Amino acid sequence: MGIDVKGYEVAYKGRVYAALEMHMIWKDSREREENSTGIMPAPTFLDVLVINEDGEPRIIHDETFMFRFMRIKAKGEAHECD
């Protein structure tokens, strides 16, 4: 069971997909433990379940830096101002 990311779109290699679920993968299970700062290191890879252009579910597996998650804003939702 992964992390529910419904309500997000994910950009991957120049395309944007509706995201459904994400699984985090660490290259070494020991790295999942918090380091001395109390911050858990980022995962090495992600498996992201998406809906492709044809409406079919697909899993994209790649390194974490290849993905950009964007929250889908509801109609009429205010944008943040600086």
Side-chain angles (χ1 to χ4, degrees):
M1 184 170 168
I3 298 168
D4 182 0
V5 289
K6 293 180 195 108
Y8 285 84
E9 293 178 323
V10 62
Y12 177 76
K13 291 190 176 181
R15 294 181 184 228
V16 178
Y17 302 96
L20 299 176
E21 191 173 281
M22 171 179 66
H23 294 262
M24 296 179 283
I25 302 164
W26 284 262
K27 68 178 179 179
D28 184 357
S29 61
R30 289 178 299 202
E31 292 185 28
R32 290 187 70 170
E33 298 175 17
E34 294 180 5
N35 59 24
S36 61
T37 64
I39 299 172
M40 183 182 284
T44 311
F45 290 92
L46 294 177
D47 283 340
V48 182
L49 177 62
V50 301
I51 302 295
N52 71 7
E53 300 89 354
D54 298 326
E56 301 168 335
R58 294 288 184 249
I59 293 177
I60 302 172
H61 172 84
D62 210 337
E63 294 180 88
T64 55
F65 71 89
M66 295 295 294
F67 299 92
R68 291 292 173 256
F69 290 87
M70 301 155 292
R71 190 166 63 95
I72 299 171
K73 295 191 183 282
K75 284 187 177 182
E77 189 173 347
H79 291 84
E80 292 183 23
C81 297
D82 293 352

